[in-house]
């Protein structure tokens, strides 16, 4: 295979990646976008393997065997994980994949420093060129930060581990910002030392500090900001790949890494805007309360509660219903039951729509994925800006496990979430809220929506509650 053919195939794969991003911009074209992405990756992997064979020639030996075994093992693990993962666990899978990309970037950099000629780096006076050393430095520390930061994000998203760093509440300590600054300066210093000398000691020190930095960057971020963290780490993984691509003079890595890095950065900006948060304020620390805690100093306030039968009566006697899905729906895996309930309401002549907040759940698009899995028609699903004006004319809003994204406290000056765009459920004629308890969300704030006269609380597991509603509608 000639280099011209390799470049052409890489170009085709890059076009597929661009089309994949374009397709993923809307639910109706997302399947086509995924197809483009898979085709592009298949072309890129096959071309890279062919290029390895060409460069190795007759001396390939066990090297090619290692490559084939690595692809087979990685592909098998990826396939098994993809088939077994539940839609509610997609945020954790995404964080895990980000960590693997970061670690791969570090390993490639280590290999490039150890055997530069084997990876096509042309030496000058037996030294890696200055530009390549700088690129290896950047790719290594970004990859290391991405790996360890994604591991912490995985733990926070999972919520299954008792280890303190894996819990949703921010982890802060006195002098944390100063310590982070000192570590960052030390990391950059070691990196520049490596760039100047190509010595192993500063490279190892720089990588080790970067691994620690990844942990330090993520632990002070609270659960409410995890959607931003996921998109931010997505961006980091792309830039790490692009940096290594420059070092290896691999156009495919450069293009795909730049696409992932830039799209992740744009998504982070969109998420911050949706939360009325500064990107830097997210990096410097989260809201600060763990889900399931109560507001400090708060008093028990009376709420109007009802049963699934009461909720079914309200829903059945309405003309329009808006369903607001949240993380509680994801945890209970209630999306299919909700779809069944919606179908019965629609069959009775009731207009049913879904309102999705940009940061609902644990990652961008979390609710959209769950609704798509339940085969909810795309035309019934609306983003915040497209449906907020409709709440005032809606008979019933059914909030399922959402909290901060419907909290009217966002309209109150001085509130920690003041200015955060919310779904304006409080404007509806009637509101039904399903939660397990009156515990606060990740923002740690009481929700005034729950105490309004128009609101009826239905406590319990979302799936069981909705299934009971479906039976009552019958």
């Amino acid at each position: 295979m000639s280099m011209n053919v390799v470049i052409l195939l890489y170009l085709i794969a890059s076009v597929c990646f661009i089309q994949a991003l374009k397709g993923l911009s809307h639910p109706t074209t997302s399947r086509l976008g995924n197809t483009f992405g898979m085709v592009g990756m298949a072309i890129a992997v096959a071309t890279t393997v062919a290029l390895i064979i060409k460069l190795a020639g007759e001396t390939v030996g066990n090297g090619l065997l290692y490559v084939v075994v690595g692809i087979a093992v990685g592909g098998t693990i990826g396939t098994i994980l993809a088939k077994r993962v539940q839609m509610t666990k997609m945020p954790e899978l995404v964080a895990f994949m980000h960590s693997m990309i970061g670690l791969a970037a570090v390993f490639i950099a280590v290999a490039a420093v150890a055997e530069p000629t084997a990876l096509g780096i042309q030496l000058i006076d037996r030294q890696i060129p200055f530009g390549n050393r700088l690129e290896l430095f950047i790719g290594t520390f970004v990859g290391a930060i991405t790996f360890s930061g994604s591991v912490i994000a995985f733990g926070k998203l999972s919520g299954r581990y008792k280890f303190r760093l894996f819990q949703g509440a921010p982890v802060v300590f006195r002098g944390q910002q100063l310590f982070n600054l000192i570590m960052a300066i030390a990391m950059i210093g070691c990196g520049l030392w490596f760039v100047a000398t190509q010595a192993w000691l500063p490279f190892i020190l720089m990588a080790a500090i970067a691994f620690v930095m990844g942990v330090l960057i993520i632990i002070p971020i609270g659960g409410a900001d995890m959607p931003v963290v996921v998109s931010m780490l997505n961006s980091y993984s792309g830039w790490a790949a692009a940096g290594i691509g420059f070092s290896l003079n691999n156009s495919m890595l450069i293009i795909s890494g730049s696409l992932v890095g830039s799209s992740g950065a744009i998504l982070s900006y969109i998420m911050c805007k949706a939360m009325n948060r500064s990107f830097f304020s997210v990096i410097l620390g989260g809201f600060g309360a763990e889900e399931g805690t109560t507001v400090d100093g708060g008093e028990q306030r009376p709420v109007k509660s009802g049963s699934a039968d009461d909720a079914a009566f309200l829903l059945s006697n309405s003309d329009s219903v808006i369903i607001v899905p949240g993380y509680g729906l994801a945890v209970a895996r209630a999306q299919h039951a909700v779809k069944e309930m919606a179908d019965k309401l629609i069959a009775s002549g009731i207009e049913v729509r879904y309102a999705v907040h940009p940061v609902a759940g644990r990652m961008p698009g979390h609710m959209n994925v769950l609704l798509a899995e339940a085969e909810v028609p795309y035309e019934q699903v609306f983003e915040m800006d497209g449906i907020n004006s409709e709440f005032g004319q809606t008979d019933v809003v059914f909030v399922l496990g959402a909290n901060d994204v419907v909290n009217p406290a966002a309209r109150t000056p001085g509130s920690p979430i003041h200015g955060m765009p919310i779904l304006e459920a409080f404007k509806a004629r009637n509101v039904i809220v399903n939660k397990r308890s009156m515990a606060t969300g990740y923002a740690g704030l009481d929700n005034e929506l729950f105490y309004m006269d128009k609101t009826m609380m239905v406590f319990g597991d979302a799936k069981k509650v909705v299934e009971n509603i479906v039976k009552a509608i019958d």
Side-chain angles (χ1 to χ4, degrees), residues 253-278:
L253 274 177
I254 296 171
I255 295 172
S256 59
S258 298
L259 286 172
V260 173
S262 57
S263 61
I266 293 171
L267 184 58
S268 298
Y269 170 77
I270 293 173
M271 293 296 103
C272 287
K273 185 177 180 181
M275 299 171 68
N276 193 39
R277 297 276 279 156
S278 161

mmCIF file of all heavy atoms in Angstrom, residues 253-278:
data_model
loop_
_atom_site.group_PDB
_atom_site.id
_atom_site.type_symbol
_atom_site.label_atom_id
_atom_site.label_comp_id
_atom_site.label_asym_id
_atom_site.label_seq_id
_atom_site.Cartn_x
_atom_site.Cartn_y
_atom_site.Cartn_z
ATOM 1 N N LEU A 253 -4.791 10.805 13.462
ATOM 2 C CA LEU A 253 -4.880 11.168 14.864
ATOM 3 C C LEU A 253 -5.080 12.664 15.043
ATOM 4 O O LEU A 253 -5.844 13.107 15.908
ATOM 5 C CB LEU A 253 -3.611 10.724 15.602
ATOM 6 C CG LEU A 253 -3.559 9.289 16.131
ATOM 7 C CD1 LEU A 253 -2.203 9.012 16.758
ATOM 8 C CD2 LEU A 253 -4.662 9.041 17.137
ATOM 9 N N ILE A 254 -4.407 13.444 14.221
ATOM 10 C CA ILE A 254 -4.522 14.901 14.324
ATOM 11 C C ILE A 254 -5.943 15.346 14.030
ATOM 12 O O ILE A 254 -6.545 16.130 14.781
ATOM 13 C CB ILE A 254 -3.530 15.589 13.356
ATOM 14 C CG1 ILE A 254 -2.084 15.273 13.756
ATOM 15 C CG2 ILE A 254 -3.763 17.099 13.350
ATOM 16 C CD1 ILE A 254 -1.064 15.732 12.744
ATOM 17 N N ILE A 255 -6.502 14.841 12.935
ATOM 18 C CA ILE A 255 -7.843 15.272 12.526
ATOM 19 C C ILE A 255 -8.906 14.789 13.510
ATOM 20 O O ILE A 255 -9.737 15.574 13.985
ATOM 21 C CB ILE A 255 -8.157 14.771 11.102
ATOM 22 C CG1 ILE A 255 -7.218 15.424 10.091
ATOM 23 C CG2 ILE A 255 -9.608 15.054 10.738
ATOM 24 C CD1 ILE A 255 -7.329 14.857 8.693
ATOM 25 N N SER A 256 -8.885 13.490 13.816
ATOM 26 C CA SER A 256 -9.911 12.957 14.714
ATOM 27 C C SER A 256 -9.780 13.549 16.118
ATOM 28 O O SER A 256 -10.787 13.880 16.758
ATOM 29 C CB SER A 256 -9.819 11.430 14.772
ATOM 30 O OG SER A 256 -8.540 11.015 15.234
ATOM 31 N N GLY A 257 -8.546 13.697 16.592
ATOM 32 C CA GLY A 257 -8.346 14.291 17.911
ATOM 33 C C GLY A 257 -8.819 15.730 17.972
ATOM 34 O O GLY A 257 -9.444 16.159 18.950
ATOM 35 N N SER A 258 -8.548 16.478 16.917
ATOM 36 C CA SER A 258 -8.986 17.875 16.877
ATOM 37 C C SER A 258 -10.509 17.970 16.824
ATOM 38 O O SER A 258 -11.113 18.851 17.456
ATOM 39 C CB SER A 258 -8.386 18.577 15.660
ATOM 40 O OG SER A 258 -6.976 18.595 15.729
ATOM 41 N N LEU A 259 -11.141 17.060 16.090
ATOM 42 C CA LEU A 259 -12.603 17.052 16.035
ATOM 43 C C LEU A 259 -13.199 16.782 17.413
ATOM 44 O O LEU A 259 -14.132 17.475 17.853
ATOM 45 C CB LEU A 259 -13.084 15.984 15.043
ATOM 46 C CG LEU A 259 -12.921 16.283 13.558
ATOM 47 C CD1 LEU A 259 -13.269 15.053 12.728
ATOM 48 C CD2 LEU A 259 -13.799 17.462 13.141
ATOM 49 N N VAL A 260 -12.661 15.772 18.091
ATOM 50 C CA VAL A 260 -13.166 15.433 19.422
ATOM 51 C C VAL A 260 -12.876 16.564 20.408
ATOM 52 O O VAL A 260 -13.738 16.953 21.212
ATOM 53 C CB VAL A 260 -12.539 14.115 19.921
ATOM 54 C CG1 VAL A 260 -12.929 13.846 21.377
ATOM 55 C CG2 VAL A 260 -12.972 12.957 19.043
ATOM 56 N N GLY A 261 -11.657 17.111 20.348
ATOM 57 C CA GLY A 261 -11.283 18.175 21.270
ATOM 58 C C GLY A 261 -12.126 19.421 21.108
ATOM 59 O O GLY A 261 -12.623 19.988 22.089
ATOM 60 N N SER A 262 -12.311 19.861 19.868
ATOM 61 C CA SER A 262 -13.080 21.084 19.629
ATOM 62 C C SER A 262 -14.563 20.883 19.922
ATOM 63 O O SER A 262 -15.218 21.747 20.526
ATOM 64 C CB SER A 262 -12.882 21.561 18.182
ATOM 65 O OG SER A 262 -13.241 20.545 17.263
ATOM 66 N N SER A 263 -15.116 19.738 19.512
ATOM 67 C CA SER A 263 -16.534 19.491 19.773
ATOM 68 C C SER A 263 -16.798 19.358 21.273
ATOM 69 O O SER A 263 -17.822 19.836 21.778
ATOM 70 C CB SER A 263 -17.009 18.233 19.041
ATOM 71 O OG SER A 263 -16.295 17.085 19.469
ATOM 72 N N GLY A 264 -15.866 18.720 21.988
ATOM 73 C CA GLY A 264 -16.015 18.611 23.439
ATOM 74 C C GLY A 264 -15.948 19.964 24.129
ATOM 75 O O GLY A 264 -16.691 20.228 25.079
ATOM 76 N N ALA A 265 -15.064 20.850 23.631
ATOM 77 C CA ALA A 265 -14.955 22.189 24.210
ATOM 78 C C ALA A 265 -16.231 22.989 23.968
ATOM 79 O O ALA A 265 -16.728 23.687 24.855
ATOM 80 C CB ALA A 265 -13.752 22.914 23.609
ATOM 81 N N ILE A 266 -16.786 22.874 22.759
ATOM 82 C CA ILE A 266 -18.035 23.573 22.444
ATOM 83 C C ILE A 266 -19.174 23.045 23.311
ATOM 84 O O ILE A 266 -19.995 23.812 23.841
ATOM 85 C CB ILE A 266 -18.376 23.416 20.948
ATOM 86 C CG1 ILE A 266 -17.331 24.150 20.096
ATOM 87 C CG2 ILE A 266 -19.770 23.946 20.648
ATOM 88 C CD1 ILE A 266 -17.448 23.880 18.612
ATOM 89 N N LEU A 267 -19.217 21.726 23.476
ATOM 90 C CA LEU A 267 -20.260 21.122 24.308
ATOM 91 C C LEU A 267 -20.128 21.582 25.755
ATOM 92 O O LEU A 267 -21.133 21.840 26.429
ATOM 93 C CB LEU A 267 -20.185 19.601 24.222
ATOM 94 C CG LEU A 267 -21.267 18.821 24.974
ATOM 95 C CD1 LEU A 267 -22.650 19.210 24.481
ATOM 96 C CD2 LEU A 267 -21.053 17.321 24.822
ATOM 97 N N SER A 268 -18.902 21.696 26.248
ATOM 98 C CA SER A 268 -18.682 22.185 27.610
ATOM 99 C C SER A 268 -19.224 23.596 27.764
ATOM 100 O O SER A 268 -19.854 23.935 28.779
ATOM 101 C CB SER A 268 -17.187 22.163 27.947
ATOM 102 O OG SER A 268 -16.671 20.857 27.913
ATOM 103 N N TYR A 269 -18.992 24.421 26.757
ATOM 104 C CA TYR A 269 -19.501 25.787 26.790
ATOM 105 C C TYR A 269 -21.027 25.792 26.820
ATOM 106 O O TYR A 269 -21.648 26.547 27.579
ATOM 107 C CB TYR A 269 -18.996 26.559 25.572
ATOM 108 C CG TYR A 269 -19.658 27.913 25.397
ATOM 109 C CD1 TYR A 269 -19.300 29.000 26.193
ATOM 110 C CD2 TYR A 269 -20.664 28.089 24.453
ATOM 111 C CE1 TYR A 269 -19.920 30.226 26.042
ATOM 112 C CE2 TYR A 269 -21.292 29.309 24.292
ATOM 113 C CZ TYR A 269 -20.912 30.382 25.089
ATOM 114 O OH TYR A 269 -21.531 31.591 24.940
ATOM 115 N N ILE A 270 -21.644 24.930 25.990
ATOM 116 C CA ILE A 270 -23.107 24.855 25.944
ATOM 117 C C ILE A 270 -23.657 24.411 27.299
ATOM 118 O O ILE A 270 -24.647 24.951 27.802
ATOM 119 C CB ILE A 270 -23.555 23.891 24.831
ATOM 120 C CG1 ILE A 270 -23.196 24.470 23.453
ATOM 121 C CG2 ILE A 270 -25.059 23.633 24.913
ATOM 122 C CD1 ILE A 270 -23.446 23.504 22.318
ATOM 123 N N MET A 271 -22.990 23.413 27.919
ATOM 124 C CA MET A 271 -23.443 22.928 29.216
ATOM 125 C C MET A 271 -23.327 24.021 30.280
ATOM 126 O O MET A 271 -24.235 24.206 31.103
ATOM 127 C CB MET A 271 -22.616 21.711 29.643
ATOM 128 C CG MET A 271 -22.811 20.468 28.792
ATOM 129 S SD MET A 271 -24.484 19.795 28.870
ATOM 130 C CE MET A 271 -25.125 20.380 27.288
ATOM 131 N N CYS A 272 -22.221 24.740 30.283
ATOM 132 C CA CYS A 272 -22.035 25.814 31.262
ATOM 133 C C CYS A 272 -23.088 26.901 31.077
ATOM 134 O O CYS A 272 -23.631 27.439 32.048
ATOM 135 C CB CYS A 272 -20.629 26.409 31.136
ATOM 136 S SG CYS A 272 -19.317 25.353 31.761
ATOM 137 N N LYS A 273 -23.366 27.222 29.815
ATOM 138 C CA LYS A 273 -24.382 28.237 29.533
ATOM 139 C C LYS A 273 -25.742 27.780 30.029
ATOM 140 O O LYS A 273 -26.524 28.570 30.578
ATOM 141 C CB LYS A 273 -24.427 28.516 28.031
ATOM 142 C CG LYS A 273 -25.362 29.647 27.646
ATOM 143 C CD LYS A 273 -25.320 29.924 26.153
ATOM 144 C CE LYS A 273 -26.271 31.060 25.777
ATOM 145 N NZ LYS A 273 -26.254 31.321 24.314
ATOM 146 N N ALA A 274 -26.041 26.492 29.839
ATOM 147 C CA ALA A 274 -27.330 25.946 30.278
ATOM 148 C C ALA A 274 -27.461 25.963 31.797
ATOM 149 O O ALA A 274 -28.573 25.960 32.332
ATOM 150 C CB ALA A 274 -27.501 24.523 29.762
ATOM 151 N N MET A 275 -26.342 25.976 32.499
ATOM 152 C CA MET A 275 -26.358 25.985 33.962
ATOM 153 C C MET A 275 -26.065 27.364 34.533
ATOM 154 O O MET A 275 -25.988 27.534 35.756
ATOM 155 C CB MET A 275 -25.317 24.986 34.493
ATOM 156 C CG MET A 275 -25.562 23.553 34.066
ATOM 157 S SD MET A 275 -24.186 22.475 34.498
ATOM 158 C CE MET A 275 -24.302 22.469 36.271
ATOM 159 N N ASN A 276 -25.873 28.341 33.631
ATOM 160 C CA ASN A 276 -25.481 29.689 34.044
ATOM 161 C C ASN A 276 -24.215 29.648 34.889
ATOM 162 O O ASN A 276 -24.098 30.308 35.920
ATOM 163 C CB ASN A 276 -26.605 30.372 34.831
ATOM 164 C CG ASN A 276 -26.361 31.868 34.999
ATOM 165 O OD1 ASN A 276 -25.882 32.527 34.080
ATOM 166 N ND2 ASN A 276 -26.680 32.398 36.167
ATOM 167 N N ARG A 277 -23.265 28.865 34.440
ATOM 168 C CA ARG A 277 -22.030 28.675 35.184
ATOM 169 C C ARG A 277 -20.849 29.073 34.326
ATOM 170 O O ARG A 277 -20.845 28.860 33.110
ATOM 171 C CB ARG A 277 -21.871 27.200 35.586
ATOM 172 C CG ARG A 277 -22.948 26.697 36.519
ATOM 173 C CD ARG A 277 -22.633 27.037 37.938
ATOM 174 N NE ARG A 277 -21.673 26.077 38.475
ATOM 175 C CZ ARG A 277 -20.858 26.327 39.487
ATOM 176 N NH1 ARG A 277 -20.849 27.492 40.041
ATOM 177 N NH2 ARG A 277 -20.055 25.399 39.933
ATOM 178 N N SER A 278 -19.857 29.644 34.958
ATOM 179 C CA SER A 278 -18.606 29.912 34.282
ATOM 180 C C SER A 278 -17.803 28.627 34.192
ATOM 181 O O SER A 278 -17.757 27.846 35.148
ATOM 182 C CB SER A 278 -17.801 30.966 35.053
ATOM 183 O OG SER A 278 -16.443 30.936 34.682
#
